[in-house]
């Protein structure tokens, strides 16, 4: 691995320690799905939409991950997650809990959640993926790894997570 890769060097060290190989694709900033699609067209992987929420009281935080082409209303999400009223978490909360900035949300940000405050909800359809892609904590690159290795990464974080059906 080279230090010149854009992203979180802590993340690359963790992936190396876990012996998780990955593909690394540098591109211009891609803070939105629409922008990222331009750069993903030649990358074979399931590309994901990553949404960071908090509950109404602000004492619980959730990262919701689904395939990037799927739409999901917050009202429908609230029904499916059964966590009460949800709102997008603020930029400050994103920085505090995941160490990320807007447009760079990724499950790799869990490496910064030392208190294990963020719970993940992953769409069960992602289990069908062979390879999966996320930003490496910065939106100027995409990182592709096998789904099995992504699962190993999740298990290594210590955060709680579950697979649920997020859309019909």
């Amino acid at each position: 691995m080279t230090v010149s890769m854009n992203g979180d060097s802590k993340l690359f060290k963790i992936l190396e320690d876990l012996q998780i190989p990955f593909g690394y694709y540098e591109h211009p900033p891609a803070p939105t799905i629409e922008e990222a699609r331009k750069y993903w067209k030649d990358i074979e992987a399931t590309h994901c939409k990553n949404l960071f929420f908090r509950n109404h009281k602000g004492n619980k935080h959730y990262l919701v991950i689904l395939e990037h082409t799927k739409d999901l209303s917050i009202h429908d999400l609230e029904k499916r997650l059964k966590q009460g009223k949800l709102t997008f978490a603020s930029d400050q909360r994103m920085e505090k809990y995941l160490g990320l900035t807007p447009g760079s949300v990724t499950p790799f940000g869990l490496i910064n959640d030392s208190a294990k405050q963020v719970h993940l909800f992953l769409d069960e359809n992602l289990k069908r993926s062979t390879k999966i892609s996320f930003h490496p904590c910065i939106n100027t690159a995409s990182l592709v790894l096998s789904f099995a290795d992504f699962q190993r990464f999740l298990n290594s974080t210590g955060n709680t997570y579950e697979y649920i059906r997020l859309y019909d």
Side-chain angles (χ1 to χ4, degrees):
M1 267 173 256
T2 63
V3 181
S4 64
M5 285 191 286
N6 288 326
D8 189 315
S9 59
K10 179 179 168 183
L11 170 64
F12 297 138
K13 174 75 171 112
I14 289 168
L15 294 176
E16 183 178 309
D17 289 348
L18 291 170
Q19 299 182 342
I20 293 178
F22 59 86
Y24 175 83
Y25 303 87
E26 213 168 300
H27 49 67
T32 65
I33 294 294
E34 294 71 31
E35 190 66 25
R37 281 183 182 148
K38 296 176 192 176
Y39 312 116
W40 289 343
K41 63 182 183 337
D42 296 324
I43 301 173
E44 276 200 46
T46 299
H47 302 286
C48 296
K49 186 181 294 188
N50 306 283
L51 306 168
F52 188 51
F53 293 97
R54 69 176 186 88
N55 68 350
H56 184 66
K57 292 179 181 178
N59 61 349
K60 293 185 181 180
H61 295 82
Y62 309 101
L63 183 57
V64 177
I65 303 174
L66 62 154
E67 203 271 328
H68 81 281
T69 61
K70 303 301 179 188
D71 290 321
L72 191 63
S73 75
I74 291 179
H75 182 68
D76 185 46
L77 184 63
E78 289 169 344
K79 287 180 183 176
R80 291 176 188 270
L81 300 188
K82 300 176 182 146
Q83 299 297 313
K85 184 169 172 49
L86 299 175
T87 57
F88 285 105
S90 68
D91 298 355
Q92 294 80 11
R93 287 175 187 267
M94 191 180 304
E95 172 66 33
K96 177 181 178 180
Y97 292 98
L98 296 174
L100 302 173
T101 58
S104 299
V105 178
T106 174
F108 293 132
L110 294 173
I111 64 172
N112 300 311
D113 182 19
S114 56
K116 310 304 174 209
Q117 299 284 321
V118 179
H119 179 78
L120 273 78
F121 287 102
L122 300 107
D123 182 65
E124 66 183 21
N125 291 301
L126 293 175
K127 289 180 178 179
R128 298 183 194 143
S129 303
T130 304
K131 292 184 176 184
I132 196 159
S133 168
F134 301 101
H135 288 312
C137 301
I138 191 167
N139 66 16
T140 56
S142 294
L143 197 141
V144 176
L145 63 162
S146 74
F147 186 79
D149 284 337
F150 172 63
Q151 188 74 52
R152 281 191 330 136
F153 168 79
L154 282 183
N155 290 336
S156 77
T157 69
N159 288 76
T160 57
Y161 67 91
E162 60 191 283
Y163 288 92
I164 64 168
R165 185 178 199 96
L166 288 176
Y167 55 86
D168 295 319

